[in-house]
Amino acid sequence: MASNGYRNGTGTNKGAIKPPASSNIRSSSFKSRLPPSSNHSTGSALRRTSSASFTTAAGVPGRVRVAVRLRPRNAEESTADADFADCVELQPELKRLKLRKNNWESETYEFDEVLTEFASQKRVYEVVAKPVVESVLDGYNGTVMAYGQTGTGKTFTLGRLGEEDTSARGIMVRSMEEILANVTPETDSISVSYLQLYMETIQDLLDPANDNISIVEDPRTGDVSLPGATHVEIKDEPSFLELLRLGEAHRIAANTKLNTESSRSHAILMVHVKRSVLGEEVAIPSESDKSSHFVKPPKPLVRKSKLVLVDLAGSERVQKSGSEGHMLEEAKSINLSLSALGKCINALAENSAHVPIRDSKLTRLLRDSFGGTARTSLIVTIGPSPRHRGETASTILFGQRAMKVENMLRIKEEFDYKSLARRLEIQLDKLIAENERQQKAFDDEVERINLEAQNRVSEVERNFTDALEKERLKCQMEYMESVKKLEEKMIENQRKHQHDGFMKDKCNWEGPGFSEDIAEVKKLLEKEIHMRKEAEKEVNKLKSQLGQHMDAGAGGDAEILKLQIALEDEVHQKKKLEEEIIILRSQMLQLTFEADQMRRCLARGGSGNAYPGLDSPMSQVRDSLSGHKTPVSALFDQVGVQKILDLLESEDANVRIHAVKVVANLAAEEANQERIVEAGGLTSLLMLLRSYEDETVRRVAAGAIANLAMNEANQELIMVQGGISLLSTTASDAEDPQTLRMVAGAIANLCGNDKLQATLRSEGGIKALLGMVRCRHPDVLSQVARGIANFAKCESRASTNGIRSGRSLLIDEGALPWIVQNANNDAAPIRRHIELALCHLAQHEANAKDMINGGALWELVRITRDCSREDIRSLARRTLNSSLLFRSEMRRLRIEL
Ligand code: ADP
Ligand code: MG
């Protein structure tokens, strides 16, 4: 019974805790050195540490954790030791174990865990192995070893498969279960080697033929590996169980072969765990701004760790070698590795400078997995039998010493360069794709904005153009309207001043087509007026009839109604007629301008030019001196030259024609010319000549230029502005006789300028003038003749003044034959100009020879006789008489004047 009391700890225990072995004191001091969290849930603390820094050079301090497990009495013990108390008494709540020396004396030891005979396999796993497994999952190496006398339950604790009763599963199966539950199959891998170490030989339990596996140690890292061992990849628990079964079968077979017991060999299960993890993101301060965070992507890392589960050989032999004084050699031969392990643990516990790791294969194999940088748990198994008290005490002391072994956990991880490269590649590809997407989006956006901007710009431009066009048209209409009104006013004024005689004058006009037009318009007007009068008469008649009816009081309402309708009809008719009259009047307006010019020309005895000024400028002077202003001039004063000139550029062809006519009419009056030229009228007219598009415009423009060319100052301006070549071009390509007449008139005016003689010739003016005779129209010929006369007169003047000498440029240009031919032209104006020209040419000896040869002498002689004008007759006579050559030729021909 006492034994019960002992077991229950209620016996006469003298020393509450006997600490004869310094281990007790030390064990408590070891405890105080442990990190605060280093209880059984230390795993989480390790995880934190490991994730905080992948550089584990510093490591996590700790020590080998030791648990003691008591096997329940077996059947034999229950019978044999029935009268004896157990040799140990457990105080699991105090984590103490009392080892009885005798009935009254016991020694108490503290362990990290004290597991009673009732401790479940699950609990054993959780307190002994789970922290190590968690640590392995975090990347540390870890070891769980079972140490104890044969038959105390090492294999029961570690290796039970629990096939029939899952609650019986040992640490190996449970560890694998936990590992499998925590890894990611896609990125992580688990492989297993199962070995047996017997008599310093390592056998492969997964491949029995492989019975001498060597240990390889990496001198740099200290990592231990068995390259010759079979590594089996584990994907699930059943395959692992199968593997354990296979290993166990091979172990039994091998031991039978070697004639040994499994208790004399060490079974070593190595689980290799390879996990992919990400290092921490590291914030790097940039050079410029220390606060900015440039986050370096996390590094891909591979953590390689190893869980070693060792079912050690029975410790009884070692006990014996120590306690029973066996020879060391013998002990060595029995189990060298286990004794070496004990020595190493002792050395480590004593902090000895030398740890004899190399003494055995087991210690070499556990080099990186026991103490040192690994997390280690040791479970010491004991039996309750007092008969094995010595073995039990020895086991307890082994465990106590192991508790003093400190270790420094170091995580084993390395960069996974391959996966880093792969990951960076994927990231790069993603970034490239993203960049491309963004670039595309950006380009699209730019294009869209551009398009939008273009659309807006064109819309604004369109609106602006429309508005401008509208405004321009409006202004143009207004100008035209005001011009029209003014014209009407002028006609009214003109009528008042000129009475009926004007109409009479008009009838005498000889201008081509104008008289007919006027007559026709006049006829129409008279007809309309007549019709109007008739209508008025009719209305009056009806009115008086109505009055009669009314007076008479007779006649029905129907008659009155009929008359009223007739009356309304008449009124309507009248209105229409009035409108037609207005239209006719406005048509007459333009004719009036032209008629006005015509009238003045006729008054001057001209050839009926619509545009005066082709003859003597004196006619204008006369007009302007005559006191009254022409209708066009009045218009000019009222409207303003600029406005009229602006109309020259109108887009409406009719407006342009009308405007150029008005300008031409204005230019016919000397008083207006200066203002026209000042306002750029000459340039505008030359432009019209250049941008020839309409014969009327060209004709009228040429006429206006001809008018302006009467003025000496304008003549020079025309030259400067390239007028000669423009006129020459027109002279060569125009067909219309009236256009040619205007051009010839303009050139003829220029021919009268002394200063322009040479330029006129050099720029082709003379040639152009002479070229126009191809058109046989007398009006054109007359202007050509006038030009020749003007030119000859200037030349003659220059020669007389000694400014020039030599033959006439006209003769040089080949004008003489045409002059001679037309000297007796039927048309009086042509004849007169040529007679004058011949006289001028004859005044200089240099021309005489050519003139004689060309037959001009005969013409001159004829002039002296036939010319209707006395002054020319005598001029010709004087000229011939004053020339030696002519005189001698006349003598030779016997001509007498
Ligand atoms: P060892 O491997 O240390 O030589 P075993 O594990 O083979 O010892 O155990 C010896 C015997 O004791 C086995 O029959 C086993 O079932 C039994 N045994 C061991 N430990 C316990 C325990 N905790 N509970 C019940 N039976 C146990
Ligand atoms: Mg065993």
Side-chain angles (χ1 to χ4, degrees):
M1 298 322 304
S3 67
N4 280 342
Y6 283 133
R7 264 206 303 277
N8 298 330
T10 54
T12 54
N13 193 349
K14 281 186 194 166
I17 299 174
K18 185 175 183 274
S22 54
S23 65
N24 268 346
I25 305 160
R26 281 187 192 167
S27 69
S28 58
S29 69
F30 281 139
K31 273 186 178 172
S32 69
R33 287 215 302 274
L34 290 172
S37 59
S38 74
N39 50 29
H40 288 308
S41 63
T42 324
S44 61
L46 287 170
R47 267 198 296 278
R48 272 202 302 280
T49 316
S50 64
S51 67
S53 162
F54 66 87
T55 309
T56 52
V60 179
R63 66 172 172 77
V64 174
R65 301 181 63 76
V66 182
V68 62
R69 184 180 195 187
L70 178 66
R71 173 179 56 76
R73 281 188 179 211
N74 56 30
E76 191 250 315
E77 284 164 342
S78 299
T79 326
D81 302 331
D83 299 329
F84 301 95
D86 287 352
C87 69
V88 289
E89 185 191 333
L90 304 183
Q91 295 176 313
E93 65 286 349
L94 296 172
K95 297 183 178 172
R96 281 180 190 165
L97 176 149
K98 276 185 184 175
L99 178 65
R100 287 206 182 89
K101 270 186 167 176
N102 45 51
N103 280 346
W104 57 91
E105 217 179 346
S106 65
E107 281 179 345
T108 303
Y109 300 94
E110 263 186 30
F111 283 92
D112 293 310
E113 280 300 332
V114 170
L115 302 158
T116 69
E117 62 270 42
F118 309 110
S120 68
Q121 288 283 71
K122 185 173 190 275
R123 184 165 145 69
V124 172
Y125 169 75
E126 277 170 0
V127 301
V128 176
K130 193 177 165 84
V132 180
V133 172
E134 284 175 343
S135 192
V136 167
L137 285 168
D138 283 333
Y140 302 91
N141 284 349
T143 306
V144 177
M145 284 194 299
Y147 180 94
Q149 195 185 352
T150 301
T152 50
K154 299 183 292 294
T155 305
F156 184 89
T157 302
L158 277 176
R160 279 200 74 173
L161 301 183
E163 284 163 306
E164 279 134 31
D165 176 11
T166 48
S167 71
R169 290 173 301 155
I171 285 173
M172 284 178 179
V173 178
R174 289 175 193 268
S175 298
M176 184 54 74
E177 192 181 40
E178 176 122 30
I179 290 168
L180 283 168
N182 282 281
V183 296
T184 314
E186 295 79 39
T187 54
D188 305 341
S189 72
I190 307 157
S191 68
V192 161
S193 305
Y194 201 9
L195 310 153
Q196 173 172 260
L197 175 60
Y198 177 67
M199 289 289 277
E200 294 306 284
T201 305
I202 300 172
Q203 299 165 326
D204 192 340
L205 287 178
L206 301 177
D207 178 10
N210 198 6
D211 60 2
N212 192 11
I213 295 165
S214 51
I215 300 167
V216 176
E217 292 165 64
D218 186 328
R220 192 172 52 84
T221 60
D223 286 350
V224 177
S225 61
L226 301 169
T230 306
H231 284 68
V232 177
E233 191 101 352
I234 300 297
K235 293 285 181 197
D236 50 27
E237 205 180 317
S239 66
F240 179 63
L241 286 173
E242 187 53 44
L243 195 123
L244 286 183
R245 266 196 293 271
L246 182 75
E248 193 52 39
H250 286 153
R251 193 180 182 193
I252 292 163
N255 289 343
T256 311
K257 199 173 144 195
L258 293 166
N259 196 20
T260 182
E261 301 163 26
S262 67
S263 64
R264 296 173 74 178
S265 67
H266 310 281
I268 302 157
L269 181 79
M270 285 184 159
V271 181
H272 301 274
V273 179
K274 204 153 111 184
R275 304 190 73 188
S276 292
V277 288
L278 279 183
E280 276 217 325
E281 289 185 345
V282 187
I284 306 165
S286 74
E287 272 176 40
S288 54
D289 175 15
K290 289 225 160 63
S291 66
S292 82
H293 295 289
F294 218 12
V295 178
K296 210 171 155 187
K299 291 177 185 157
L301 301 170
V302 175
R303 280 185 185 162
K304 288 179 182 168
S305 53
K306 183 164 69 174
L307 173 67
V308 184
L309 302 174
V310 190
D311 184 355
L312 289 167
S315 60
E316 62 275 1
R317 310 288 165 185
V318 178
Q319 305 296 326
K320 278 175 188 158
S321 74
S323 59
E324 290 175 18
H326 277 203
M327 290 301 289
L328 188 65
E329 292 306 312
E330 191 188 350
K332 262 189 190 169
S333 68
I334 295 168
N335 203 328
L336 183 131
S337 281
L338 201 59
S339 60
L341 177 68
K343 278 195 276 179
C344 284
I345 286 175
N346 282 341
L348 288 165
E350 301 297 329
N351 274 332
S352 167
H354 176 66
V355 180
I357 288 167
R358 307 204 62 79
D359 284 4
S360 77
K361 291 236 167 120
L362 179 66
T363 48
R364 279 174 65 200
L365 201 63
L366 294 176
R367 183 190 173 136
D368 62 351
S369 309
F370 183 84
T373 57
R375 186 164 195 72
T376 309
S377 274
L378 176 70
I379 183 162
V380 292
T381 53
I382 50 171
S385 171
R387 279 183 289 154
H388 300 298
R389 193 190 163 279
E391 296 287 355
T392 304
S394 162
T395 301
I396 287 166
L397 284 174
F398 183 89
Q400 287 288 299
R401 279 196 299 275
M403 279 180 79
K404 293 180 199 166
V405 176
E406 287 180 55
N407 53 11
M408 187 64 77
L409 295 185
R410 290 224 174 89
I411 203 159
K412 297 271 172 62
E413 60 190 17
E414 55 191 43
F415 288 123
D416 183 356
Y417 289 106
K418 270 190 198 162
S419 99
L420 173 67
R422 204 167 46 244
R423 233 179 305 175
L424 286 177
E425 221 164 79
I426 293 167
Q427 209 172 337
L428 187 67
D429 279 349
K430 270 189 198 162
L431 288 172
I432 288 170
E434 181 58 30
N435 181 266
E436 196 184 355
R437 263 197 298 280
Q438 283 181 2
Q439 185 65 42
K440 177 81 176 60
F442 178 75
D443 288 348
D444 287 353
E445 183 65 10
V446 167
E447 202 174 311
R448 193 187 62 74
I449 291 171
N450 267 343
L451 208 71
E452 205 179 291
Q454 269 173 15
N455 287 343
R456 276 195 203 164
V457 166
S458 39
E459 195 188 317
V460 167
E461 274 176 2
R462 225 177 10 255
N463 291 343
F464 182 69
T465 314
D466 287 353
L468 212 63
E469 184 56 26
K470 266 187 207 153
E471 193 59 27
R472 202 183 61 75
L473 276 173
K474 207 179 120 196
C475 290
Q476 205 167 294
M477 290 310 293
E478 278 172 15
Y479 284 138
M480 291 307 293
E481 206 55 45
S482 57
V483 167
K484 209 168 143 189
K485 276 182 190 158
L486 287 166
E487 283 171 358
E488 279 169 8
K489 239 186 208 172
M490 276 185 304
I491 292 164
E492 209 59 43
N493 289 340
Q494 197 183 18
R495 271 205 189 136
K496 275 180 201 160
H497 285 102
Q498 292 181 349
H499 310 291
D500 297 336
F502 171 69
M503 294 302 282
K504 239 184 245 167
D505 283 351
K506 251 193 345 167
C507 297
N508 297 329
W509 296 342
E510 292 171 10
F514 289 114
S515 16
E516 288 93 327
D517 285 350
I518 300 285
E520 202 181 316
V521 172
K522 193 189 155 203
K523 241 193 244 164
L524 275 168
L525 189 61
E526 275 168 357
K527 202 175 130 197
E528 294 300 334
I529 289 167
H530 178 72
M531 276 167 75
R532 189 182 153 187
K533 274 181 185 159
E534 287 297 309
E536 274 172 2
K537 260 188 214 161
E538 189 68 19
V539 171
N540 287 336
K541 206 173 114 190
L542 286 168
K543 268 185 188 166
S544 68
Q545 275 180 5
L546 184 66
Q548 278 170 17
H549 280 291
M550 296 285 273
D551 288 345
D557 281 351
E559 190 67 17
I560 292 171
L561 205 67
K562 217 169 119 194
L563 284 170
Q564 266 177 348
I565 291 167
L567 185 64
E568 269 169 25
D569 252 15
E570 289 301 327
V571 170
H572 183 67
Q573 248 338 269
K574 188 184 163 190
K575 224 178 185 177
K576 253 175 104 181
L577 283 168
E578 276 172 353
E579 275 170 11
E580 273 176 44
I581 287 166
I582 291 168
I583 294 164
L584 284 166
R585 272 186 180 156
S586 72
Q587 277 179 0
M588 218 179 128
L589 177 68
Q590 181 55 37
L591 290 168
T592 306
F593 288 132
E594 289 161 12
D596 180 43
Q597 302 305 331
M598 188 81 78
R599 182 183 56 78
R600 291 195 290 137
C601 284
L602 287 169
R604 266 181 243 133
S607 58
N609 291 333
Y611 305 100
L614 301 183
D615 294 309
S616 161
M618 284 308 290
S619 60
Q620 294 169 24
V621 179
R622 214 167 42 232
D623 274 350
S624 55
L625 290 176
S626 70
H628 77 268
K629 275 194 170 180
T630 64
V632 180
S633 292
L635 165 79
F636 185 49
D637 285 344
Q638 289 173 47
V639 178
V641 67
Q642 194 59 59
K643 284 180 185 171
I644 297 168
L645 289 177
D646 287 347
L647 295 179
L648 289 177
E649 283 157 34
S650 165
E651 277 183 10
D652 187 333
N654 288 329
V655 173
R656 269 200 315 276
I657 292 171
H658 185 76
V660 75
K661 282 181 180 175
V662 172
V663 173
N665 283 319
L666 288 168
E669 290 180 45
E670 201 181 49
N672 303 328
Q673 287 180 354
E674 202 182 323
R675 284 158 69 191
I676 292 171
V677 173
E678 266 175 19
L682 179 60
T683 314
S684 300
L685 290 165
L686 286 170
M687 290 281 286
L688 284 176
L689 214 56
R690 193 173 300 160
S691 61
Y692 156 70
E693 56 184 321
D694 178 279
E695 195 56 51
T696 310
V697 171
R698 187 157 76 159
R699 183 177 66 235
V700 180
I705 294 168
N707 280 335
L708 293 174
M710 290 187 299
N711 182 305
E712 203 179 314
N714 294 343
Q715 288 166 356
E716 283 168 33
L717 269 176
I718 290 167
M719 287 286 199
V720 169
Q721 292 186 22
I724 287 291
S725 56
L726 281 171
L727 288 165
S728 301
T729 310
T730 315
S732 64
D733 65 20
E735 294 298 333
D736 175 37
Q738 292 309 315
T739 304
L740 289 173
R741 178 167 70 93
M742 299 306 164
V743 173
I747 298 177
N749 284 344
L750 298 173
C751 284
N753 190 319
D754 293 309
K755 294 177 209 158
L756 304 179
Q757 299 278 292
T759 322
L760 204 58
R761 189 206 174 197
S762 65
E763 289 189 12
I766 304 298
K767 271 223 158 58
L769 189 71
L770 294 170
M772 280 184 278
V773 301
R774 72 178 186 280
C775 165
R776 294 170 186 282
H777 197 285
D779 289 346
V780 179
L781 298 182
S782 162
Q783 293 305 323
V784 173
R786 186 168 69 87
I788 289 170
N790 278 347
F791 198 88
K793 189 171 77 185
C794 288
E795 265 191 346
S796 162
R797 203 156 39 216
S799 299
T800 311
N801 295 338
I803 298 166
R804 80 177 297 278
S805 60
R807 205 165 68 157
S808 164
L809 293 175
L810 288 169
I811 296 172
D812 285 351
E813 291 287 332
L816 202 55
W818 186 79
I819 294 173
V820 175
Q821 260 171 42
N822 290 278
N824 199 17
N825 195 299
D826 288 342
I830 301 172
R831 197 170 58 240
R832 194 169 64 243
H833 288 310
I834 291 190
E835 284 168 352
L836 280 169
L838 281 169
C839 291
H840 292 309
L841 287 171
Q843 277 170 15
H844 294 283
E845 267 322 76
N847 300 329
K849 202 178 157 208
D850 290 286
M851 289 182 84
I852 292 163
N853 291 340
L857 177 61
W858 288 112
E859 293 303 322
L860 280 164
V861 173
R862 184 194 56 75
I863 292 165
T864 58
R865 291 170 186 168
D866 296 350
C867 184
S868 59
R869 278 175 57 174
E870 169 54 33
D871 53 339
I872 296 175
R873 274 203 312 271
S874 58
L875 175 67
R877 201 175 296 120
R878 263 202 322 276
T879 307
L880 286 177
N881 282 330
S882 60
S883 163
L884 282 171
L885 272 172
F886 283 130
R887 275 213 314 268
S888 67
E889 184 64 9
M890 281 191 295
R891 262 200 308 277
R892 193 177 70 81
L893 296 169
R894 298 171 198 279
I895 295 169
E896 277 188 24
L897 295 179

